[in-house]
Amino acid sequence: MVAKTFQGLEAVLADELRALGAEDVAPGKRMVAFRGDLALLYKANMCCRTALRILKPFYSFEAGDADELYAKVKEYDWSTLMDVNKTFSIDTVTNSAEFKHSQFVTYRVKDAIVDWFRDHDETERRPSVRLEGADIMINVHISEHHVTLSLDSSGESLHRRGWRTAQTEAPINEVLAAGIILMTGWRGETPFVDPMCGSGTFAIEAAMIAAGINPGVYRKHFAFENWPDFNADLLEEIYNDDSGEREVTCPIIAADIQPRAIAIARDNAKSAGVERFITFETKSITTWETAPQPAGVLVTNPPYGKRIGADDMNALYRGIGSVLKRVFTGYHAWIIGYEDEYFHEIGLAPSQKIAVNNGGLECELREYLLFAGNKKTFRAEGGKLKDERRAERPERKPRFNDRDRRKDAKDSRKDAKGSDKRRGDDRRKPMRDGAKPAAKFGGKRAERPQEKEQESGRRPFRMSATPQMPSIPADKEIVLNRPAWRTRKKRDENSENNDK
């Protein structure tokens, strides 16, 4: 199986999968391959905080051109996955000199599937393509000439937990937020602070981690529930397993200067069932005078000056640096940013720099060790700086080159774009077409290649009659006619006592 994630979170996701019992775990680029049974597939969807979706490969082959691709796909027995009454969708990712356009690959795979059913049905019936809420979701991955077809077991991107009721401008993706928290090493033992919380994503994900709440418990539906081998009893058993849940004993503080943001964050926390674990405060980051003790972790996502910003961005970041040095001594502070110029205004040397993609923007996550005194005193007390800590952990891969980063921005927006959609009147403005890349580590937004019309002797699948391409990006993936929310089964204490 394959679990997809964001750049920089591969190692975190690999650890999550190992904890669930996965075997042969192999991190790759924005993905982690692993082996496991049906129960593990269900658990990966239900429990992994840093997975965007879980794919189950079912057919691999080599194809040199589009005709061979069509022929190979048509050789598969598609009756094992669906019948003519089912609907299906196709999502394609290509990295090949021969197969340059993912949309054309999607057309050819669709043609092969449809023609297989026509050839095997006396009345030439065929399943229909459904752009939203398809019964069977097929993922096509091409690396040069190697083609892998997989079933998407998740459906909607897993960053859509189900607890978000509203959001402020430019909220951070839930998967990225959880991954950053897990990268800090925080598991609920010390205070957690987000002084610029927005809609509360960091604080809510932190509360879920501290409380041991699986992110999938809020979901109404997974794509694997439409599969022929779906085991409802097994899913209910996994869903109702709350053995890992616990009380939260550490302070979790979420603050923001905007009262509206705090109101939204509080509503989201209530929807997630973690409101009682979080203290919400309406105040500017520059007004902090004390921090919860003992020293813990601070994680925040300040404005970048792109989608949202302040009147004086340089002054904002100078204020952040001043508060970190004056108030949060002893903390580990993790800050996401886009402009190197603004990071410089913080006035602190970062211990780590990690490239991350946030909403299609190539950003950096920087860690700051806020120790008192000088480095000599810090080391004498047992503290370790970045070079010393790096020697104690596996070596990180080098930063991606510009080509990799542009491709990552293009691919990851399929899943990241969904978290930026507004509900109701909360609509986020898209990045201007003329926006410049960030200094030093920024990059231009990737552009989709123009698809060329393919000539063939048979009638092509015309998209002019449909509003979108047949693949389903995360921001369009919805499940229609969902079942009612699952409810955890209550334990019968009397029956438990009688069994003892």
Side-chain angles (χ1 to χ4, degrees), residues 11 79 88 114 159 215 291 338 381 401:
S79 64
F88 71 97
V114 167
H159 82 271
Y338 180 68
E381 295 175 352
N401 58 38

Side-chain angles (χ1 to χ4, degrees), residues 40-234:
L40 183 63
L41 184 142
Y42 292 1
K43 289 179 181 179
N45 277 282
M46 185 71 68
C47 304
C48 285
R49 304 180 190 278
T50 56
L52 290 168
R53 58 186 68 252
I54 309 297
L55 304 179
K56 182 182 179 182
F58 65 88
Y59 186 34
S60 297
F61 55 88
E62 300 291 323
D65 54 34
D67 291 336
E68 188 175 7
L69 171 70
Y70 171 88
K72 290 288 188 179
V73 173
K74 195 177 177 183
E75 289 177 4
Y76 188 79
D77 183 1
W78 289 97
S79 64
T80 60
L81 298 180
M82 56 181 158
D83 56 39
V84 295
N85 298 313
K86 295 288 186 179
T87 59
F88 71 97
S89 65
I90 301 171
D91 182 37
T92 301
V93 177
T94 65
N95 182 19
S96 170
E98 176 64 30
F99 302 99
K100 296 180 180 179
H101 302 311
S102 60
Q103 188 175 17
F104 177 66
V105 172
T106 297
Y107 293 161
R108 296 302 283 158
V109 172
K110 185 275 305 180
D111 289 342
I113 297 173
V114 167
D115 290 347
W116 186 94
F117 278 98
R118 282 175 171 164
D119 292 347
H120 290 78
D121 189 276
E122 295 180 356
T123 60
E124 296 189 356
R125 292 184 303 163
R126 45 152 287 187
S128 300
V129 173
R130 187 172 185 176
L131 303 183
E132 298 180 343
D135 296 317
I136 303 297
M137 302 176 64
I138 300 168
N139 178 274
V140 180
H141 182 272
I142 301 181
S143 178
E144 295 304 334
H145 297 291
H146 186 73
V147 183
T148 302
L149 303 186
S150 304
L151 289 175
D152 184 344
S153 69
S154 305
E156 288 186 299
S157 174
L158 294 176
H159 82 271
R160 295 186 173 182
R161 310 295 202 209
W163 52 256
R164 192 183 292 277
T165 61
Q167 54 195 29
T168 56
E169 292 294 325
I172 192 167
N173 183 287
E174 292 86 339
V175 162
L176 180 57
I180 289 172
I181 295 170
L182 293 176
M183 275 197 290
T184 70
W186 187 86
R187 298 297 184 270
E189 305 90 350
T190 58
F192 181 94
V193 177
D194 181 359
M196 307 176 78
C197 70
S199 57
T201 307
F202 275 126
I204 293 171
E205 291 293 328
M208 291 166 57
I209 291 172
I213 300 174
N214 292 326
V217 299
Y218 308 100
R219 298 265 298 198
K220 300 177 182 179
H221 187 83
F222 295 98
F224 61 72
E225 295 181 57
N226 297 326
W227 294 2
D229 65 346
F230 172 56
N231 187 330
D233 292 336
L234 178 59

Side-chain angles (χ1 to χ4, degrees), residues 217-389:
V217 299
Y218 308 100
R219 298 265 298 198
K220 300 177 182 179
H221 187 83
F222 295 98
F224 61 72
E225 295 181 57
N226 297 326
W227 294 2
D229 65 346
F230 172 56
N231 187 330
D233 292 336
L234 178 59
L235 177 60
E236 286 302 313
E237 179 182 349
I238 294 171
Y239 175 83
N240 284 288
D241 181 11
D242 59 357
S243 58
E245 296 185 9
R246 54 191 177 270
E247 279 296 316
V248 178
T249 57
C250 63
I252 299 176
I253 312 296
D256 199 280
I257 192 173
Q258 296 290 342
R260 174 177 170 271
I262 292 298
I264 290 175
R266 194 186 301 275
D267 288 342
N268 286 333
K270 184 177 181 180
S271 175
V274 296
E275 182 184 15
R276 62 194 178 98
F277 302 139
I278 305 173
T279 300
F280 294 97
E281 300 181 15
T282 303
K283 63 180 180 180
S284 168
I285 187 171
T286 58
T287 63
W288 281 75
E289 296 295 337
T290 59
Q293 295 297 322
V297 171
L298 181 149
V299 182
T300 196
N301 180 29
Y304 305 159
K306 295 298 178 182
R307 300 185 179 109
I308 56 176
D311 294 336
D312 189 338
M313 292 293 295
N314 296 79
L316 172 64
Y317 277 75
R318 283 196 299 272
I320 292 173
S322 175
V323 169
L324 293 182
K325 290 179 282 188
R326 176 171 50 85
V327 179
F328 289 94
T329 301
Y331 271 69
H332 287 230
W334 297 73
I335 299 177
I336 310 174
Y338 180 68
E339 296 283 1
D340 191 65
E341 172 190 353
Y342 300 149
F343 269 129
H344 181 73
E345 294 290 348
I346 292 177
L348 295 169
S351 304
Q352 293 189 65
K353 296 180 181 181
I354 303 172
V356 295
N357 184 289
N358 182 19
L361 297 177
E362 291 301 309
C363 301
E364 274 191 353
L365 172 67
R366 298 190 179 186
E367 179 195 20
Y368 299 91
L369 297 181
L370 306 174
F371 55 86
N374 54 39
K375 294 181 180 179
K376 183 177 180 180
T377 304
F378 178 68
R379 288 193 181 98
E381 295 175 352
K384 293 182 175 63
L385 300 176
K386 63 175 181 178
D387 294 334
E388 299 160 342
R389 289 184 295 148

